[in-house]
Amino acid sequence: MTSHLRGWVIYILLLFLRFLFVFDLQSGYLHPDEYFQGIEVAAGDIYNLDVLRTWEFHLDDKGPLRSVAGMSPFVHIPIQAAKWIHGGVDYKTEETDFSGSDMLNRILFPSRLVTVLGSYLVDLFILSCCIRVDHHQVSAKQTKIQKILHSVQYHSVPTALLLYASCAFGGSLWSTRTIVNVWESIYVSLFGLLLLEVLDRLEQSSDPTVNKQSLILFMCIQSAVVVWGTFLRPTYILFILPLGVIELAFILVKFKYISMILCLPSVLFVFFNTFICVIIDTLYFHNVSLLQAFQVDFSRFELIYTPYRFLTYNSNSYHVSSHGLHSRFTHFLINWPLIFGPIFTFRLFTQPLQRRSISSCIAWISVVFPTFVLSIIPHQEARFSYPMPTVCLFRCWSEC
């Protein structure tokens, strides 16, 4: 076995390790919000269990702060699907004698499985970035799968890919847990993958008409991802904003004034998906089922826009202080070294001094900008920085 294949074997073993953590189901948690901000809420909604529903999911003067629409792809939908597969008993009408382990398999396992599958989008994003670095060695006519196979056959596994897959704050542990920051990183990766597709289309000039059609399609999908990611956690916009600005700049340079027309469908998609999320949350927090949506007089209800409530709550220093106050430099001096180690952190933040290139600046801005904004808020947990490892992998454009 050649040396470069050994690296890929190690990486594949790390991928299987994620599945091992899911199938070897443990009820313990790395952070209590794994349950409080998703699992318990869905368990109460789908199985009518008596669960602890935190204040963030109550309609009052502070809440709700969490969007059920945003987290449903990772919690409600997989748990409901698992219930259908199991031929689930309706807990509202029938007595059951399910054991605790059976309930874990019905509630915790589906959500963790979907989370792990989603985490592979992060791996794909990293690998796609690294392949893009070596685009001069790969034919532009090759499909995405052909490029990946070419990379595996002729190149060593990217260091960034191994770093994510082996890091506890990355693929090896946290990506197996049902915590909102992990889902946020999945949405960031999905946006990044779509960004790479858009850039590929911009570089192709053989058929401008087809390019414009595919551009509009990918941008509309991006718009939907942005909305659902923002409803999941409003800080999501910080991680993709630099990438979005770069994408718009490339489109503007390529198509000039036509760019406004190209972006119009995606803008409409933003409003449409926002409307859907607001309606879902409004119905949910007013205890109205989706089946009754067309029979409801919405003028009687206050529309629930959870991102606005989230930002309003966290912009109040009194509210933030009740969760604990930290130094403004906590993310820079503690959380980043905790996630990646001091050496990597130092190299990351001194990137422009090491390699003065456009890709290096993109990587640097994509990390420093969200870190700086999050540092303004005095409550700083390491998990808030979790989606940033996804963004900082743009640094592999210059170091793969």
Side-chain angles (χ1 to χ4, degrees):
M1 182 183 296
T2 60
S3 58
H4 86 276
L5 287 179
R6 292 195 193 99
W8 286 107
V9 170
I10 294 174
Y11 172 67
I12 292 174
L13 291 176
L14 290 171
L15 294 184
F16 278 113
L17 183 62
R18 289 186 216 174
F19 269 110
L20 179 62
F21 284 143
V22 173
F23 284 93
D24 184 21
L25 197 60
Q26 303 291 328
S27 60
Y29 55 80
L30 300 177
H31 195 288
D33 284 349
E34 291 180 41
Y35 293 141
F36 294 152
Q37 293 183 359
I39 293 296
E40 292 214 24
V41 175
D45 294 337
I46 297 173
Y47 284 103
N48 198 34
L49 298 177
D50 184 15
V51 298
L52 175 62
R53 193 178 294 265
T54 61
W55 64 271
E56 299 164 296
F57 292 93
H58 287 286
L59 182 59
D60 53 28
D61 57 334
K62 294 182 181 179
L65 302 186
R66 304 292 176 183
S67 170
V68 173
M71 70 181 186
S72 60
F74 299 97
V75 184
H76 286 77
I77 293 177
I79 293 176
Q80 183 64 66
K83 182 180 179 181
W84 289 335
I85 293 173
H86 283 89
V89 178
D90 187 351
Y91 275 63
K92 296 181 180 180
T93 59
E94 299 186 34
E95 296 292 332
T96 66
D97 57 355
F98 289 150
S99 65
S101 60
D102 194 9
M103 291 308 303
L104 285 177
N105 290 329
R106 287 170 172 265
I107 297 174
L108 189 58
F109 174 77
S111 185
R112 284 191 178 178
L113 180 61
V114 169
T115 301
V116 166
L117 292 176
S119 73
Y120 290 133
L121 289 176
V122 182
D123 296 78
L124 183 59
F125 177 48
I126 301 169
L127 183 57
S128 298
C129 289
C130 294
I131 291 175
R132 188 173 179 82
V133 174
D134 295 328
H135 69 281
H136 60 281
Q137 301 176 11
V138 181
S139 173
K141 296 181 179 180
Q142 289 183 333
T143 64
K144 185 73 69 176
I145 296 178
Q146 289 174 331
K147 291 179 180 179
I148 292 175
L149 293 177
H150 181 277
S151 178
V152 173
Q153 185 175 1
Y154 296 105
H155 300 278
S156 299
V157 59
T159 303
L161 197 59
L162 276 178
L163 181 64
Y164 170 75
S166 60
C167 182
F169 259 95
S172 68
L173 188 58
W174 272 72
S175 65
T176 66
R177 298 305 177 125
T178 55
I179 193 165
V180 66
N181 308 95
V182 176
W183 303 333
E184 188 179 11
S185 71
I186 294 173
Y187 274 125
V188 171
S189 297
L190 183 54
F191 182 90
L193 286 169
L194 293 169
L195 167 65
L196 295 179
E197 291 294 333
V198 169
L199 295 181
D200 286 341
R201 298 307 186 277
L202 291 175
E203 293 172 355
Q204 297 171 2
S205 57
S206 57
D207 190 346
T209 303
V210 175
N211 284 347
K212 290 178 183 178
Q213 292 175 350
S214 59
L215 271 178
I216 293 174
L217 174 61
F218 284 118
M219 290 171 64
C220 286
I221 299 175
Q222 274 185 312
S223 299
V225 171
V226 169
V227 172
W228 288 84
T230 303
F231 270 80
L232 173 69
R233 187 170 172 83
T235 55
Y236 168 80
I237 201 71
L238 297 176
F239 303 110
I240 56 98
L241 183 60
L243 308 182
V245 171
I246 292 168
E247 177 181 327
L248 290 176
F250 274 98
I251 294 174
L252 183 61
V253 170
K254 179 76 173 181
F255 296 107
K256 303 296 188 297
Y257 298 107
I258 304 179
S259 304
M260 300 297 293
I261 300 176
L262 294 177
C263 294
L264 181 60
S266 60
V267 173
L268 296 177
F269 242 65
V270 167
F271 285 107
F272 174 74
N273 282 274
T274 301
F275 172 78
I276 295 297
C277 290
V278 169
I279 292 299
I280 292 175
D281 286 339
T282 300
L283 293 174
Y284 178 85
F285 289 110
H286 287 288
N287 297 316
V288 179
S289 68
L290 290 176
L291 298 177
Q292 299 174 316
F294 296 101
Q295 305 172 4
V296 173
D297 180 11
F298 281 94
S299 62
R300 298 188 297 110
F301 295 145
E302 176 189 3
L303 293 179
I304 306 298
Y305 186 65
T306 53
Y308 172 76
R309 290 170 175 262
F310 179 93
L311 295 174
T312 301
Y313 178 87
N314 286 282
S315 62
N316 188 312
S317 58
Y318 174 76
H319 292 159
V320 174
S321 63
S322 64
H323 299 277
L325 299 178
H326 305 92
S327 167
R328 305 288 185 182
F329 301 99
T330 300
H331 281 310
F332 285 101
L333 300 181
I334 298 178
N335 293 340
W336 265 106
L338 176 65
I339 294 174
F340 274 133
I343 296 178
F344 181 90
T345 302
F346 175 78
R347 293 193 63 188
L348 178 64
F349 287 111
T350 58
Q351 181 79 351
L353 300 178
Q354 301 172 34
R355 294 175 179 266
R356 298 180 180 180
S357 63
I358 295 178
S359 60
S360 177
C361 290
I362 292 174
W364 189 78
I365 294 173
S366 299
V367 177
V368 172
F369 173 74
T371 304
F372 175 78
V373 176
L374 289 176
S375 296
I376 297 175
I377 303 174
H379 180 65
Q380 302 177 22
E381 298 181 34
R383 65 188 179 97
F384 296 166
S385 304
Y386 186 85
M388 271 186 279
T390 302
V391 179
C392 84
L393 293 168
F394 263 80
R395 77 192 299 273
C396 71
W397 281 20
S398 57
E399 289 197 11
C400 281

